């Protein structure tokens, strides 16, 4: 029991000050405040009783904000965890509040949130909710805060292509760091180098190449393959996909890329660099929005002699116009991940197949010392 700081019916001003100083570093939940009537009318005394606080569970805590709860539940299931609950409250004027229901003091916390706008929340709403919740966990005494983003907002603008252009990838990084994020994990940012350079906190860049390769090898069988980038800027991504293909199959296929110029939304360029004749073409890209780039690439591959064309796109945004991809004769199959809730859901029977990337995020959390120690028998 904490020593009674009050003697008699009154507490001195000095005692109250000492009490306040002592409570700074002690969890508020460790005390019960009782107001007891004194013998003098109208007077009260403050008594504080120490409460035995259970030792915190050492397991990390995984949260998934509103629009990402289904994905978060899949990740939690792979880890044998229960997805932590939070209170989400929406106010009439559009403001919101999110708070963790369980204690997070001295615990490592993870927030999973895919920053892609959908029919419920805009990208700005999701970003704001994420920033506030990072700060909330920090204020609640979390030992560390890791942000897990299956889709990173504003990843396209990672450099200045015109005078006075914003570099929004860096601005998002600064916001997350200012709120107290210790580590950021993202799936296939538009430009990995720009992603790594934008942050000053620890980062981890996840890639779904291995999962896609596992799906494709059974389809391709022993046919010759060429890995295709829809533009010259994606050649590094194609190289990493080729490495994943080599690790799975033991063979390293050639690569090719298409000429592409984009200005104010207009795409041009027709040249294809590489040999596609008699090969299965696998077009690799990080996202598909309207589908113009992917469809154009598929048409070019077929025109250059590709026997089949498979698309591999991590983020299937599927905005207006993308419905052309669902039954395009030039595209035999399109593989996408479940990183986002698409603007338009491809109909059943379309040529779109979804590959879950929940295991990648489970792995990122599973590298936490709790699991590595448990695996070592500690």
């Amino acid at each position: 029991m904490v020593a009674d700081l009050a003697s008699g019916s009154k507490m001195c001003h000095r005692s109250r000050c000492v009490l306040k100083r002592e409570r700074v570093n002690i969890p508020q939940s460790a005390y019960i405040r009782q107001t007891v009537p004194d013998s003098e009318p109208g007077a009260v005394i403050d008594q504080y009783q120490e409460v035995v606080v259970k030792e915190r569970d050492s397991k990390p805590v995984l949260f998934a904000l509103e629009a990402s709860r289904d994905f978060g539940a899949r990740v939690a299931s792979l880890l044998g965890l229960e997805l932590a609950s939070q209170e989400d409250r929406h106010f009439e004027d559009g403001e919101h509040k999110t708070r963790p229901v369980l204690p997070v003091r001295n615990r490592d916390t993870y927030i999973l949130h895919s920053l892609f706008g959908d029919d419920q929340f805009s990208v700005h709403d999701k970003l704001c909710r994420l920033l506030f919740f990072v700060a909330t966990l920090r204020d609640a005494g979390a030992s560390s805060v890791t942000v897990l983003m299956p889709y990173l907002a504003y990843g396209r603008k990672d450099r200045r292509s015109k005078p006075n252009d914003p570099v929004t990838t860096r601005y998002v990084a600064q916001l997350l760091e200012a709120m107290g994020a210790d580590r950021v994990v993202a799936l296939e940012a538009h430009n990995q180098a720009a992603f790594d350079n934008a942050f000053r906190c620890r980062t981890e860049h996840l890639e779904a190449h291995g999962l896609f390769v596992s799906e494709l090898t059974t389809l391709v069988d022993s046919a010759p393959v060429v890995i295709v980038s829809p533009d010259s800027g994606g050649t590094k991504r194609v190289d990493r996909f080729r490495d994943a293909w080599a690790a799975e199959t033991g063979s390293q296929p050639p690569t090719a890329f298409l000429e592409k110029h984009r200005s104010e939304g207009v795409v041009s360029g027709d040249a294809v660099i590489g040999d596609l004749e008699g090969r299965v073409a696998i077009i690799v890209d990080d996202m598909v929005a309207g589908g113009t780039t992917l469809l154009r690439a598929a048409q070019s591959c077929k025109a250059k002699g590709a026997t089949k064309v498979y698309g591999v796109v991590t983020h299937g945004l599927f905005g207006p116009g993308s419905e052309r991809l669902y039954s395009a004769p030039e595209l035999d199959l399109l593989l996408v991940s479940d990183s986002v809730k698409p603007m338009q859901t491809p109909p059943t029977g379309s040529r779109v197949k979804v590959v879950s990337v929940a295991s990648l995020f489970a792995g990122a959390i599973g590298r936490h010392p709790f699991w590595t120690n448990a695996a070592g028998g500690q």
Side-chain angles (χ1 to χ4, degrees):
M1 294 255 303
V2 173
D4 189 357
L5 296 177
S7 59
S9 62
K10 295 183 180 181
M11 180 184 290
C12 70
H13 178 73
R14 176 178 174 81
S15 296
R16 289 184 185 272
C17 292
V18 170
L19 177 61
K20 289 180 181 178
R21 286 201 298 270
E22 288 179 348
R23 291 187 67 196
V24 168
N25 295 318
I26 301 177
Q28 188 174 359
S29 59
Y31 291 91
I32 295 177
R33 178 172 179 168
Q34 297 178 331
T35 303
V36 183
D38 190 79
S39 56
E40 298 180 13
V44 296
I45 62 172
D46 290 334
Q47 293 180 340
Y48 289 85
Q49 293 181 322
E50 187 176 10
V51 177
V52 177
V53 181
K54 284 186 176 181
E55 183 180 353
R56 300 291 184 218
D57 190 343
S58 59
K59 285 186 178 180
V61 186
L62 173 61
F63 296 94
L65 299 187
E66 284 176 292
S68 300
R69 294 287 292 182
D70 289 343
F71 188 96
R74 293 193 288 273
V75 174
S77 177
L78 291 171
L79 290 168
L81 288 175
E82 285 190 16
L83 196 60
S85 59
Q86 69 262 359
E87 176 193 357
D88 294 295
R89 184 177 176 186
H90 301 273
F91 300 96
E92 293 79 1
D93 59 356
E95 295 180 4
H96 75 281
K97 179 190 81 171
T98 305
R99 73 173 184 91
V101 174
L102 78 169
V104 297
R105 181 173 294 276
N106 298 326
R107 299 180 73 173
D108 293 298
T109 59
Y110 292 77
I111 312 170
L112 190 146
H113 200 35
S114 192
L115 296 180
F116 176 66
D118 54 32
D119 54 354
Q120 286 186 298
F121 304 105
S122 71
V123 60
H124 315 297
D125 289 334
K126 290 185 176 183
L127 178 58
C128 190
R129 282 169 167 76
L130 175 60
L131 293 170
F132 287 173
F133 196 58
V134 170
T136 300
L137 294 183
R138 270 295 180 212
D139 286 348
S143 177
S144 69
V145 179
T146 296
V147 176
L148 307 163
M149 291 183 286
Y151 183 79
L152 171 63
Y154 294 108
R156 291 184 182 94
K157 282 306 299 177
D158 52 37
R159 62 186 178 88
R160 290 190 176 92
S161 55
K162 294 182 179 179
N164 302 321
D165 256 0
V167 187
T168 45
T169 300
R170 178 161 54 84
Y171 306 156
V172 171
Q174 290 172 339
L175 288 169
L176 286 167
E177 290 165 351
M179 292 300 101
D182 297 286
R183 178 178 169 225
V184 173
V185 180
L187 174 66
E188 299 218 9
H190 189 60
N191 183 323
Q192 181 180 350
F195 166 75
D196 291 334
N197 291 331
F199 288 87
R200 297 298 174 264
C201 65
R202 288 183 298 144
T203 59
E204 184 171 353
H205 186 260
L206 302 178
E207 292 184 337
H209 298 334
L211 299 176
F212 289 130
V213 168
S214 297
E215 291 285 335
L216 287 169
T217 48
T218 56
L219 297 173
V220 172
D221 197 16
S222 59
V225 169
V226 58
I227 314 298
V228 182
S229 172
D231 55 57
S232 60
T235 53
K236 289 184 178 179
R237 184 180 298 107
V238 161
D239 287 342
R240 294 194 296 272
F241 188 91
R242 181 176 61 174
D243 291 341
W245 187 277
E248 178 81 12
T249 66
S251 63
Q252 196 166 54
T255 62
F257 69 90
L258 280 72
E259 177 192 17
K260 174 186 169 184
H261 306 287
R262 184 191 294 272
S263 180
E264 298 181 358
V266 178
V267 177
S268 60
D270 300 315
V272 179
I273 313 301
D275 181 18
L276 286 81
E277 184 68 35
R279 294 180 176 273
V280 175
I282 301 174
I283 304 171
V284 179
D285 208 351
D286 63 325
M287 68 177 71
V288 56
T292 301
T293 297
L294 182 59
L295 186 58
R296 170 181 159 274
Q299 291 168 345
S300 297
C301 289
K302 280 291 177 74
K304 291 295 182 179
T307 57
K308 288 187 177 181
V309 177
Y310 298 133
V312 174
V313 180
T314 305
H315 308 296
L317 311 185
F318 292 124
S322 61
E323 59 275 3
R324 298 172 296 170
L325 300 171
Y326 305 157
S327 58
E330 299 89 353
L331 196 61
D332 294 278
L333 179 67
L334 173 58
L335 297 179
V336 299
S337 81
D338 56 351
S339 63
V340 301
K341 177 184 176 183
M343 288 185 275
Q344 300 180 93
T345 302
T348 303
S350 70
R351 298 180 182 181
V352 179
K353 182 176 182 180
V354 178
V355 176
S356 179
V357 291
S359 60
L360 298 179
F361 287 91
I365 300 172
R367 287 186 281 276
H368 184 278
F370 172 82
W371 274 280
T372 55
N373 290 341
Q378 297 182 15

